[in-house]
Amino acid sequence: MRGLFAFVAGGLFGAGLLVSGMTDSRKVQGWLDIFGEWDPTLAFVMGGAMLPMAIA
Amino acid sequence: MQQEWIWGLAGGGLIGIAGAVYLLINGHIMGASGIVGSVVDGTAGNQTWERVWFIAGLFLLPTILSFWVGPRDNFITDNLWAIAAAGIFVGVGTRLANGCTSGHGICGMSRLSLRGFVATVFYIGAGGLSIILFKDLLGVV
C-alpha cells in the first residue's frame, strides 16, 4: 500500500515536472539568467508546489 | 509566454500534491536526491521498496505522458563530458547539502524550515553566478 502511494507520488512529481516545462533546461537556465531573457516560470512552479505542501 | 506560467503553476501544483501525498502517507520529505541516494547507499533500510516504487513512478508516468503529448526536446547539451561533470556536481552538492530542489526548495520552505530557505537561496544564487560565468563571461553556453 505504501509502495502504491509512493508510486503515485513519484508519478505526480514527474508529471508535474513535465507539465510545468521543467524538463526543458532552457527554462531552468532562463530563471537563473537574470541579465538575459529572464524566465519566471520556475517561480510559478515553486509557488504552485508550495501551496499544497504548506497545507499538508 | 502567457500560457507558460499557467502550466508552471499547474505542474507545480502536481509536484506539491505529490510531496503532500508522500509526506502524509509515507511520512517522509519528498526529496528526489535523498530518495535516490538512500536507495543506492542502502540507508533507506526497510523503506527501500517504497522508494524504488517512487522512482519507478517518476520515470514511468512522464514516459507514458510523453507518448501522448509527443516527445519534447530538453535542450540539454549533447556533450557527454559536460553532462557527466554536471551530474557529479549535483550529486556531491545535494549530498553535502542534504537535499536538492524538491527537498529543500519545495518541501523545506513549505515547512518554513530555515535550512530549506538557506539552501534554496544559495543554490539559486550559485546557479545565477554560474550562468554569469559560463554565459556572460566565458560565452560557452
Side-chain angles (χ1 to χ4, degrees):
Chain A
M1 206 57 192
R2 291 167 62 98
L4 178 70
F5 277 105
F7 183 76
V8 170
L12 284 174
F13 184 21
L17 288 174
L18 191 73
V19 167
S20 59
M22 287 301 117
T23 52
D24 179 348
S25 63
R26 287 181 315 176
K27 297 185 90 64
V28 181
Q29 281 183 22
W31 156 252
L32 298 169
D33 190 3
I34 43 174
F35 296 120
E37 217 171 293
W38 188 62
D39 186 340
T41 310
L42 203 149
F44 284 103
V45 179
M46 278 246 172
M50 282 171 68
L51 193 70
M53 260 316 281
I55 295 168
Chain B
M1 186 64 218
Q2 280 160 336
Q3 288 174 337
E4 286 179 4
W5 67 265
I6 297 176
W7 285 114
L9 211 54
L14 288 177
I15 297 171
I17 293 167
V21 168
Y22 196 73
L23 181 68
L24 293 176
I25 306 290
N26 298 87
H28 274 275
I29 288 293
M30 187 193 69
S33 61
I35 289 173
V36 176
S38 64
V39 166
V40 172
D41 69 11
T43 50
N46 60 3
Q47 294 210 330
T48 302
W49 276 109
E50 62 190 63
R51 291 183 185 188
V52 169
W53 278 113
F54 178 89
I55 298 165
L58 181 55
F59 278 103
L60 270 176
L61 198 62
T63 308
I64 294 165
L65 281 176
S66 300
F67 284 114
W68 183 40
V69 297
R72 296 209 185 158
D73 201 334
N74 54 29
F75 299 97
I76 291 175
T77 170
D78 45 9
N79 182 341
L80 289 176
W81 290 108
I83 293 176
I88 290 171
F89 278 121
V90 170
V92 172
T94 52
R95 290 309 264 183
L96 281 178
N98 263 315
C100 59
T101 325
S102 50
H104 277 313
I106 291 166
C107 300
M109 292 207 298
S110 302
R111 298 168 69 238
L112 303 177
S113 150
L114 178 64
R115 198 175 72 162
F117 279 104
V118 171
T120 305
V121 166
F122 274 93
Y123 69 64
I124 289 180
L129 283 179
S130 52
I131 290 281
I132 292 171
L133 176 67
F134 287 106
K135 181 170 177 249
D136 299 327
L137 295 179
L138 298 175
V140 287
V141 287

